[in-house]
Coordinates of all heavy atoms in Angstrom, one line a residue:
M149 N 38.6 -19.2 -8.1 CA 37.4 -19.3 -7.3 C 36.6 -18.0 -7.1 O 35.4 -18.1 -6.9 CB 37.7 -19.9 -5.9 CG 37.7 -21.4 -6.0 SD 37.9 -22.2 -4.3 CE 36.4 -21.8 -3.5
P150 N 37.2 -16.8 -7.1 CA 36.5 -15.6 -6.8 C 35.3 -15.5 -7.8 O 34.3 -14.9 -7.3 CB 37.5 -14.5 -7.0 CG 38.8 -15.1 -6.8 CD 38.7 -16.5 -7.3
G151 N 35.4 -15.9 -9.0 CA 34.3 -15.8 -9.9 C 33.1 -16.7 -9.6 O 32.0 -16.6 -10.1
C152 N 33.3 -17.7 -8.8 CA 32.3 -18.7 -8.4 C 31.7 -18.4 -7.1 O 30.7 -19.0 -6.7 CB 32.9 -20.1 -8.4 SG 33.6 -20.7 -9.9
N153 N 32.3 -17.6 -6.3 CA 31.8 -17.3 -4.9 C 31.2 -16.0 -4.9 O 31.4 -15.1 -5.7 CB 33.0 -17.3 -4.0 CG 33.8 -18.6 -3.9 OD1 33.2 -19.6 -4.1 ND2 35.0 -18.5 -3.6
S154 N 30.4 -15.8 -3.8 CA 29.8 -14.5 -3.5 C 31.0 -13.6 -3.0 O 32.0 -14.1 -2.6 CB 28.7 -14.6 -2.5 OG 29.2 -14.9 -1.2
E155 N 30.7 -12.3 -2.9 CA 31.7 -11.4 -2.4 C 32.0 -11.8 -0.9 O 33.2 -11.8 -0.5 CB 31.3 -10.0 -2.5 CG 32.3 -8.9 -2.1 CD 31.8 -7.5 -2.3 OE1 31.1 -7.3 -3.2 OE2 32.2 -6.7 -1.5
A156 N 31.0 -12.1 -0.2 CA 31.1 -12.4 1.2 C 31.9 -13.7 1.4 O 32.8 -13.8 2.3 CB 29.8 -12.6 1.9
E157 N 31.7 -14.7 0.5 CA 32.5 -15.9 0.6 C 33.9 -15.7 0.3 O 34.8 -16.2 0.9 CB 31.9 -17.0 -0.4 CG 30.5 -17.5 0.0 CD 29.8 -18.3 -1.0 OE1 30.2 -18.1 -2.2 OE2 28.9 -19.0 -0.7
T158 N 34.2 -14.9 -0.7 CA 35.6 -14.5 -1.1 C 36.3 -13.8 0.1 O 37.4 -14.1 0.4 CB 35.6 -13.7 -2.4 OG1 35.0 -14.4 -3.4 CG2 37.0 -13.3 -2.7
E159 N 35.6 -12.9 0.8 CA 36.1 -12.2 1.9 C 36.4 -13.2 3.0 O 37.4 -13.1 3.7 CB 35.2 -11.1 2.4 CG 35.2 -9.9 1.4 CD 34.1 -8.9 1.9 OE1 33.6 -8.9 3.0 OE2 33.8 -8.0 1.0
L160 N 35.5 -14.2 3.3 CA 35.7 -15.2 4.3 C 36.9 -16.0 4.0 O 37.8 -16.2 4.9 CB 34.4 -16.1 4.3 CG 34.4 -17.1 5.4 CD1 34.4 -16.5 6.8 CD2 33.2 -18.0 5.2
I161 N 37.1 -16.4 2.8 CA 38.3 -17.2 2.4 C 39.6 -16.3 2.6 O 40.6 -16.8 3.1 CB 38.2 -17.7 0.9 CG1 37.1 -18.7 0.8 CG2 39.5 -18.2 0.5 CD1 36.7 -19.0 -0.6
G162 N 39.5 -15.1 2.2 CA 40.6 -14.2 2.4 C 41.0 -14.0 3.8 O 42.2 -14.0 4.2
R163 N 40.0 -13.9 4.7 CA 40.3 -13.8 6.1 C 41.0 -15.0 6.7 O 41.9 -14.9 7.4 CB 39.0 -13.5 6.9 CG 39.3 -13.3 8.4 CD 38.1 -12.7 9.1 NE 38.4 -12.6 10.5 CZ 37.6 -13.1 11.5 NH1 36.4 -13.6 11.2 NH2 38.0 -13.0 12.7
A164 N 40.4 -16.2 6.3 CA 41.0 -17.5 6.8 C 42.5 -17.6 6.3 O 43.4 -17.9 7.0 CB 40.2 -18.6 6.3
R165 N 42.7 -17.3 5.0 CA 44.1 -17.3 4.5 C 45.0 -16.4 5.2 O 46.2 -16.7 5.5 CB 44.0 -17.0 3.0 CG 43.5 -18.1 2.1 CD 43.5 -17.8 0.7 NE 43.1 -18.9 -0.2 CZ 42.8 -18.8 -1.4 NH1 42.9 -17.6 -2.1 NH2 42.5 -19.9 -2.1
S166 N 44.5 -15.2 5.5 CA 45.3 -14.2 6.2 C 45.7 -14.7 7.6 O 46.9 -14.5 8.0 CB 44.6 -12.9 6.2 OG 45.3 -11.9 7.0
L167 N 44.8 -15.3 8.3 CA 45.0 -15.8 9.6 C 46.0 -16.9 9.6 O 47.0 -17.0 10.4 CB 43.7 -16.3 10.3 CG 42.8 -15.2 10.7 CD1 41.4 -15.8 11.0 CD2 43.3 -14.4 11.9
I168 N 45.9 -17.8 8.6 CA 46.8 -18.9 8.5 C 48.2 -18.4 8.1 O 49.2 -18.9 8.7 CB 46.3 -19.9 7.4 CG1 45.0 -20.6 7.9 CG2 47.4 -21.0 7.0 CD1 44.3 -21.4 6.8
A169 N 48.3 -17.5 7.2 CA 49.6 -16.9 6.8 C 50.3 -16.2 8.0 O 51.5 -16.3 8.2 CB 49.4 -16.0 5.6
T170 N 49.5 -15.4 8.7 CA 50.1 -14.7 9.9 C 50.6 -15.7 10.9 O 51.7 -15.5 11.4 CB 49.0 -13.8 10.5 OG1 48.6 -12.9 9.6 CG2 49.5 -13.2 11.8
Y171 N 49.9 -16.8 11.1 CA 50.3 -17.8 12.1 C 51.6 -18.5 11.6 O 52.6 -18.6 12.3 CB 49.3 -18.9 12.3 CG 49.7 -19.9 13.4 CD1 49.3 -19.6 14.7 CD2 50.5 -21.0 13.1 CE1 49.7 -20.5 15.7 CE2 50.9 -21.9 14.1 CZ 50.5 -21.6 15.4 OH 50.9 -22.5 16.4
E172 N 51.6 -18.8 10.3 CA 52.8 -19.5 9.7 C 54.0 -18.6 9.7 O 55.1 -19.1 10.0 CB 52.5 -20.0 8.3 CG 51.5 -21.2 8.2 CD 52.0 -22.4 9.1 OE1 53.2 -22.7 9.0 OE2 51.1 -22.9 9.8
D173 N 53.8 -17.3 9.5 CA 55.0 -16.4 9.6 C 55.6 -16.3 11.0 O 56.8 -16.1 11.1 CB 54.5 -14.9 9.2 CG 54.3 -14.8 7.8 OD1 54.7 -15.6 7.0 OD2 53.7 -13.7 7.4
M174 N 54.8 -16.6 12.0 CA 55.3 -16.5 13.4 C 55.4 -17.9 14.1 O 55.7 -18.0 15.2 CB 54.3 -15.6 14.2 CG 54.3 -14.2 13.8 SD 55.8 -13.3 13.9 CE 55.9 -13.2 15.7
A175 N 55.1 -18.9 13.3 CA 55.0 -20.3 13.9 C 56.2 -20.7 14.7 O 56.1 -21.3 15.8 CB 54.8 -21.3 12.8
E176 N 57.4 -20.4 14.2 CA 58.6 -20.9 15.0 C 58.7 -20.2 16.3 O 58.9 -20.8 17.4 CB 59.9 -20.6 14.2 CG 61.1 -21.3 14.8 CD 62.3 -21.3 13.9 OE1 62.1 -21.1 12.7 OE2 63.4 -21.5 14.4
L177 N 58.4 -18.9 16.3 CA 58.5 -18.1 17.6 C 57.4 -18.6 18.5 O 57.6 -18.7 19.8 CB 58.3 -16.6 17.3 CG 59.5 -16.0 16.6 CD1 59.2 -14.5 16.4 CD2 60.8 -16.1 17.5
I178 N 56.2 -18.9 18.0 CA 55.1 -19.4 18.8 C 55.5 -20.7 19.4 O 55.3 -20.9 20.7 CB 53.8 -19.4 18.0 CG1 53.4 -18.0 17.5 CG2 52.7 -20.1 18.8 CD1 52.3 -18.0 16.5
R179 N 56.0 -21.6 18.6 CA 56.3 -23.0 19.1 C 57.4 -22.9 20.2 O 57.4 -23.7 21.1 CB 56.7 -23.9 18.0 CG 55.5 -24.4 17.2 CD 55.9 -25.5 16.3 NE 56.6 -25.0 15.1 CZ 56.0 -24.7 14.0 NH1 54.7 -24.7 13.8 NH2 56.7 -24.3 12.9
L180 N 58.3 -22.0 20.0 CA 59.5 -21.9 20.9 C 59.1 -21.1 22.2 O 59.8 -21.1 23.2 CB 60.6 -21.2 20.3 CG 61.3 -21.9 19.1 CD1 62.3 -21.0 18.5 CD2 62.0 -23.1 19.7
G181 N 57.9 -20.5 22.2 CA 57.5 -19.7 23.3 C 58.1 -18.4 23.4 O 58.0 -17.7 24.4
A182 N 58.7 -18.0 22.2 CA 59.3 -16.7 22.2 C 58.4 -15.5 21.8 O 58.7 -14.4 21.9 CB 60.5 -16.7 21.1
Y183 N 57.2 -15.9 21.4 CA 56.2 -14.8 21.1 C 55.4 -14.5 22.4 O 54.9 -15.4 23.1 CB 55.2 -15.3 20.0 CG 54.1 -14.2 19.8 CD1 54.3 -13.1 19.2 CD2 52.8 -14.4 20.4 CE1 53.3 -12.1 19.1 CE2 51.8 -13.5 20.3 CZ 52.1 -12.3 19.6 OH 51.1 -11.3 19.5
S184 N 55.3 -13.3 22.7 CA 54.6 -12.8 23.9 C 53.2 -12.3 23.5 O 53.1 -11.4 22.7 CB 55.4 -11.7 24.6 OG 54.7 -11.2 25.7
A185 N 52.2 -13.0 24.1 CA 50.8 -12.6 23.8 C 50.6 -11.1 24.1 O 51.1 -10.6 25.0 CB 49.8 -13.4 24.6
G186 N 49.8 -10.5 23.2 CA 49.6 -9.0 23.4 C 50.5 -8.2 22.6 O 50.3 -7.0 22.5
T187 N 51.6 -8.8 22.0 CA 52.6 -8.0 21.3 C 52.0 -7.5 19.9 O 52.3 -6.4 19.5 CB 53.8 -8.9 21.0 OG1 54.3 -9.3 22.2 CG2 54.9 -8.1 20.3
D188 N 51.2 -8.4 19.3 CA 50.6 -8.0 18.0 C 49.2 -8.6 17.9 O 49.0 -9.8 18.0 CB 51.5 -8.6 16.9 CG 51.1 -8.3 15.5 OD1 49.9 -8.3 15.2 OD2 52.0 -8.0 14.7
A189 N 48.2 -7.7 17.7 CA 46.8 -8.2 17.7 C 46.5 -9.2 16.6 O 45.7 -10.1 16.8 CB 45.9 -7.0 17.6
K190 N 47.2 -9.0 15.4 CA 46.9 -9.9 14.3 C 47.5 -11.3 14.6 O 46.9 -12.3 14.3 CB 47.6 -9.4 13.0 CG 46.9 -8.3 12.3 CD 47.5 -7.9 11.1 CE 47.4 -9.0 10.0 NZ 47.9 -8.6 8.7
V191 N 48.6 -11.4 15.3 CA 49.2 -12.7 15.6 C 48.4 -13.3 16.7 O 48.1 -14.5 16.7 CB 50.7 -12.5 16.1 CG1 51.2 -13.9 16.6 CG2 51.5 -12.0 14.9
D192 N 47.9 -12.5 17.7 CA 47.0 -13.0 18.7 C 45.8 -13.6 18.1 O 45.3 -14.7 18.5 CB 46.7 -12.0 19.7 CG 47.8 -11.5 20.6 OD1 48.9 -12.2 20.6 OD2 47.8 -10.4 21.1
E193 N 45.2 -13.0 17.2 CA 44.0 -13.5 16.5 C 44.3 -14.8 15.7 O 43.5 -15.7 15.8 CB 43.4 -12.4 15.5 CG 42.1 -12.9 14.9 CD 41.6 -11.9 13.9 OE1 42.3 -11.1 13.3 OE2 40.3 -11.9 13.7
A194 N 45.4 -14.8 15.1 CA 45.8 -16.0 14.3 C 46.0 -17.2 15.3 O 45.6 -18.3 14.9 CB 47.1 -15.7 13.5
I195 N 46.6 -16.9 16.4 CA 46.8 -18.0 17.4 C 45.4 -18.5 17.9 O 45.2 -19.7 18.0 CB 47.6 -17.5 18.6 CG1 49.1 -17.3 18.1 CG2 47.6 -18.5 19.7 CD1 50.0 -16.6 19.1
H196 N 44.5 -17.6 18.1 CA 43.2 -17.9 18.6 C 42.4 -18.9 17.7 O 41.8 -19.8 18.1 CB 42.4 -16.6 18.8 CG 40.9 -16.8 19.2 ND1 40.5 -17.2 20.5 CD2 39.8 -16.8 18.4 CE1 39.2 -17.3 20.5 NE2 38.8 -17.1 19.3
Y197 N 42.5 -18.6 16.4 CA 41.8 -19.4 15.4 C 42.6 -20.6 14.8 O 42.0 -21.4 14.1 CB 41.4 -18.5 14.2 CG 40.3 -17.6 14.6 CD1 40.5 -16.2 14.7 CD2 39.0 -18.1 14.9 CE1 39.5 -15.4 15.0 CE2 37.9 -17.2 15.2 CZ 38.2 -15.9 15.3 OH 37.2 -15.0 15.6
H198 N 43.9 -20.7 15.1 CA 44.7 -21.7 14.5 C 44.2 -23.1 14.6 O 44.1 -23.8 13.5 CB 46.2 -21.6 15.0 CG 47.1 -22.6 14.4 ND1 47.4 -23.8 15.1 CD2 47.7 -22.6 13.3 CE1 48.2 -24.5 14.3 NE2 48.4 -23.8 13.2
D199 N 44.0 -23.6 15.7 CA 43.6 -25.0 15.9 C 42.3 -25.3 15.2 O 42.1 -26.4 14.5 CB 43.5 -25.4 17.4 CG 44.8 -25.4 18.1 OD1 45.8 -25.5 17.4 OD2 44.8 -25.4 19.3
R200 N 41.3 -24.4 15.3 CA 40.0 -24.7 14.6 C 40.2 -24.6 13.1 O 39.5 -25.4 12.3 CB 39.0 -23.7 15.0 CG 38.5 -24.0 16.5 CD 37.5 -23.0 17.0 NE 38.3 -21.9 17.5 CZ 37.9 -20.8 18.0 NH1 36.6 -20.6 18.1 NH2 38.7 -19.9 18.5
L201 N 41.0 -23.7 12.6 CA 41.2 -23.7 11.1 C 42.0 -24.9 10.6 O 41.7 -25.5 9.6 CB 42.0 -22.4 10.7 CG 41.2 -21.1 10.8 CD1 42.1 -19.9 10.6 CD2 40.1 -21.1 9.8
E202 N 43.0 -25.4 11.4 CA 43.7 -26.6 11.0 C 42.7 -27.8 11.0 O 42.8 -28.6 10.1 CB 44.8 -26.8 12.0 CG 46.0 -25.9 11.7 CD 46.7 -26.1 10.4 OE1 47.0 -27.3 10.1 OE2 46.9 -25.2 9.7
E203 N 41.9 -27.9 12.0 CA 40.9 -29.0 12.0 C 40.0 -28.9 10.8 O 39.7 -29.9 10.2 CB 40.1 -28.9 13.3 CG 39.1 -30.0 13.4 CD 38.2 -29.9 14.7 OE1 38.7 -29.3 15.7 OE2 37.1 -30.3 14.7
F204 N 39.5 -27.7 10.5 CA 38.7 -27.5 9.3 C 39.3 -28.0 8.0 O 38.7 -28.5 7.2 CB 38.3 -26.0 9.2 CG 37.6 -25.6 7.9 CD1 36.2 -25.9 7.8 CD2 38.3 -25.0 6.9 CE1 35.6 -25.5 6.6 CE2 37.6 -24.6 5.7 CZ 36.3 -24.9 5.6
L205 N 40.6 -27.7 7.9 CA 41.3 -28.1 6.7 C 41.6 -29.5 6.5 O 42.0 -30.0 5.4 CB 42.6 -27.2 6.6 CG 42.4 -25.8 6.4 CD1 43.7 -25.0 6.5 CD2 41.7 -25.5 5.1
H206 N 41.5 -30.3 7.6 CA 41.8 -31.7 7.5 C 40.6 -32.5 7.1 O 39.6 -32.5 7.8 CB 42.4 -32.3 8.8 CG 43.8 -31.8 9.1 ND1 44.0 -30.7 9.7 CD2 44.9 -32.4 8.7 CE1 45.4 -30.5 9.8 NE2 45.9 -31.5 9.2
Q207 N 40.7 -33.2 5.9 CA 39.6 -34.0 5.4 C 40.2 -35.2 4.7 O 41.1 -35.0 3.9 CB 38.7 -33.2 4.5 CG 37.5 -33.9 3.9 CD 36.6 -33.0 3.1 OE1 36.4 -31.9 3.4 NE2 36.1 -33.5 2.0
T208 N 39.8 -36.3 5.0 CA 40.3 -37.5 4.4 C 39.7 -37.7 3.0 O 38.7 -37.1 2.7 CB 40.0 -38.8 5.2 OG1 38.6 -39.0 5.2 CG2 40.6 -38.7 6.6
K209 N 40.3 -38.5 2.2 CA 39.7 -38.8 0.8 C 38.3 -39.4 0.9 O 37.5 -39.2 0.0 CB 40.7 -39.7 0.1 CG 42.0 -39.1 -0.3 CD 42.8 -40.2 -1.1 CE 44.1 -39.6 -1.4 NZ 45.0 -40.6 -2.2
A210 N 38.0 -40.1 2.0 CA 36.7 -40.7 2.1 C 35.6 -39.7 2.6 O 34.4 -40.0 2.4 CB 36.8 -41.9 3.1
E211 N 36.0 -38.6 3.1 CA 35.0 -37.6 3.6 C 34.6 -36.7 2.4 O 35.4 -36.3 1.6 CB 35.7 -36.7 4.6 CG 35.9 -37.4 5.9 CD 36.6 -36.5 6.9 OE1 37.8 -36.3 6.8 OE2 35.8 -36.0 7.8
H212 N 33.3 -36.4 2.4 CA 32.8 -35.6 1.4 C 32.0 -34.4 2.0 O 31.2 -34.7 3.0 CB 31.8 -36.3 0.5 CG 32.5 -37.5 -0.2 ND1 33.3 -37.3 -1.3 CD2 32.5 -38.8 0.1 CE1 33.8 -38.5 -1.7 NE2 33.4 -39.4 -0.9
T213 N 32.2 -33.2 1.6 CA 31.5 -32.1 2.1 C 31.0 -31.2 1.0 O 31.8 -30.9 0.1 CB 32.4 -31.2 3.0 OG1 33.0 -32.1 4.0 CG2 31.7 -30.1 3.6
K214 N 29.8 -30.8 1.1 CA 29.2 -29.9 0.1 C 29.8 -28.5 0.3 O 30.1 -28.1 1.4 CB 27.7 -29.8 0.2 CG 27.1 -31.1 -0.2 CD 25.6 -31.0 -0.1 CE 25.0 -32.4 -0.5 NZ 23.5 -32.3 -0.5
I215 N 30.0 -27.8 -0.8 CA 30.7 -26.5 -0.7 C 29.9 -25.5 0.3 O 30.5 -24.8 1.1 CB 31.0 -25.8 -2.0 CG1 31.9 -24.7 -1.9 CG2 29.7 -25.4 -2.7 CD1 32.6 -24.2 -3.2
D216 N 28.6 -25.5 0.2 CA 27.8 -24.7 1.1 C 28.0 -25.0 2.5 O 28.1 -24.1 3.4 CB 26.3 -24.7 0.7 CG 26.0 -24.0 -0.6 OD1 26.8 -23.1 -1.0 OD2 25.0 -24.3 -1.2
D217 N 28.2 -26.3 2.8 CA 28.4 -26.7 4.2 C 29.8 -26.3 4.7 O 30.0 -25.9 5.8 CB 28.3 -28.3 4.3 CG 26.9 -28.8 4.1 OD1 25.9 -28.0 4.2 OD2 26.7 -30.0 3.8
G218 N 30.8 -26.3 3.7 CA 32.1 -25.9 4.1 C 32.1 -24.4 4.4 O 32.8 -24.0 5.4
F219 N 31.4 -23.6 3.6 CA 31.4 -22.2 3.9 C 30.7 -21.9 5.2 O 31.1 -21.0 5.9 CB 30.7 -21.4 2.7 CG 31.6 -21.1 1.6 CD1 31.4 -21.6 0.3 CD2 32.7 -20.3 1.7 CE1 32.2 -21.3 -0.7 CE2 33.6 -20.0 0.7 CZ 33.3 -20.5 -0.6
D220 N 29.6 -22.6 5.4 CA 28.9 -22.5 6.7 C 29.8 -22.8 7.9 O 29.8 -22.0 8.9 CB 27.6 -23.3 6.7 CG 26.5 -22.9 5.8 OD1 26.6 -21.7 5.4 OD2 25.6 -23.7 5.5
R221 N 30.5 -23.8 7.8 CA 31.4 -24.2 8.9 C 32.5 -23.2 9.1 O 32.9 -22.8 10.2 CB 32.0 -25.6 8.6 CG 32.8 -26.1 9.8 CD 33.1 -27.6 9.7 NE 34.1 -27.9 10.7 CZ 35.1 -28.7 10.4 NH1 35.3 -29.3 9.3 NH2 36.0 -29.0 11.4
L222 N 33.1 -22.7 8.0 CA 34.2 -21.7 8.1 C 33.6 -20.4 8.6 O 34.3 -19.8 9.5 CB 34.8 -21.5 6.7 CG 36.0 -20.6 6.6 CD1 37.1 -21.0 7.5 CD2 36.5 -20.4 5.2
S223 N 32.5 -20.1 8.2 CA 31.8 -18.9 8.8 C 31.6 -19.0 10.3 O 31.8 -18.1 11.1 CB 30.5 -18.6 8.1 OG 29.9 -17.5 8.5
A224 N 31.1 -20.2 10.7 CA 30.9 -20.4 12.1 C 32.2 -20.4 12.9 O 32.3 -19.8 14.0 CB 30.2 -21.8 12.3
I225 N 33.3 -20.9 12.4 CA 34.6 -20.9 13.0 C 35.1 -19.5 13.2 O 35.6 -19.1 14.3 CB 35.7 -21.7 12.2 CG1 35.3 -23.2 12.3 CG2 37.1 -21.4 12.7 CD1 36.1 -24.0 11.3
L226 N 34.9 -18.7 12.2 CA 35.4 -17.3 12.2 C 34.4 -16.3 12.8 O 34.7 -15.1 12.9 CB 35.9 -16.8 10.8 CG 37.1 -17.6 10.3 CD1 37.4 -17.1 8.9 CD2 38.3 -17.6 11.2
G227 N 33.3 -16.8 13.2 CA 32.3 -15.9 13.8 C 31.8 -14.8 12.8 O 31.6 -13.7 13.2
S228 N 31.6 -15.2 11.5 CA 31.3 -14.3 10.5 C 29.9 -14.4 10.1 O 29.3 -15.5 10.2 CB 32.2 -14.6 9.3 OG 31.8 -13.8 8.2
D229 N 29.3 -13.4 9.5 CA 28.0 -13.4 9.0 C 28.0 -13.5 7.5 O 27.1 -13.1 6.8 CB 27.2 -12.1 9.4 CG 27.0 -12.0 10.8 OD1 26.9 -13.0 11.5 OD2 26.9 -10.8 11.3
A230 N 29.0 -14.1 6.9 CA 29.2 -14.2 5.5 C 28.2 -15.1 4.8 O 28.0 -15.0 3.6 CB 30.6 -14.7 5.2
R231 N 27.5 -16.0 5.6 CA 26.6 -16.9 5.0 C 25.2 -16.7 5.5 O 24.8 -16.5 6.5 CB 27.0 -18.3 5.2 CG 28.4 -18.6 4.7 CD 28.7 -19.3 3.5 NE 27.6 -20.3 3.1 CZ 27.3 -20.5 1.9 NH1 27.8 -19.8 0.9 NH2 26.4 -21.3 1.6

């Protein structure tokens, strides 16, 4: 996809992936309540965006979204000026 996207879109996707990966790396500790907020700024940011990113990623087979609309929504979720 990087060849099909603008540099800003590729950076936006990279940021979303990084947040998701950070959350998944700590997911068990977060679910168990063993992670203490403020311990790691990256994990805190991932927790902050987790629910909105998960909601963004859920789309049924019957739902259709244009790619530009998807980038706009992802940009709005992450508070980015990528679009």
Side-chain angles (χ1 to χ4, degrees):
M149 273 184 71
C152 300
N153 300 330
S154 70
E155 185 176 329
E157 291 167 342
T158 299
E159 288 176 13
L160 183 65
I161 292 168
R163 181 167 177 229
R165 285 180 175 169
S166 177
L167 289 166
I168 292 166
T170 298
Y171 186 92
E172 289 304 317
D173 286 347
M174 297 296 291
E176 189 169 343
L177 292 176
I178 294 166
R179 282 191 285 272
L180 293 172
Y183 174 75
S184 179
T187 303
D188 185 319
K190 283 182 68 174
V191 175
D192 292 342
E193 182 182 27
I195 291 168
H196 174 78
Y197 289 110
H198 178 261
D199 290 343
R200 286 178 276 178
L201 287 171
E202 285 295 310
E203 181 182 332
F204 171 78
L205 292 173
H206 286 92
Q207 180 174 322
T208 67
K209 290 181 183 181
E211 290 178 281
H212 302 280
T213 303
K214 294 181 181 181
I215 194 162
D216 287 338
D217 294 339
F219 278 119
D220 288 343
R221 185 166 169 226
L222 185 57
S223 181
I225 289 168
L226 296 179
S228 172
D229 295 331
R231 303 258 331 143

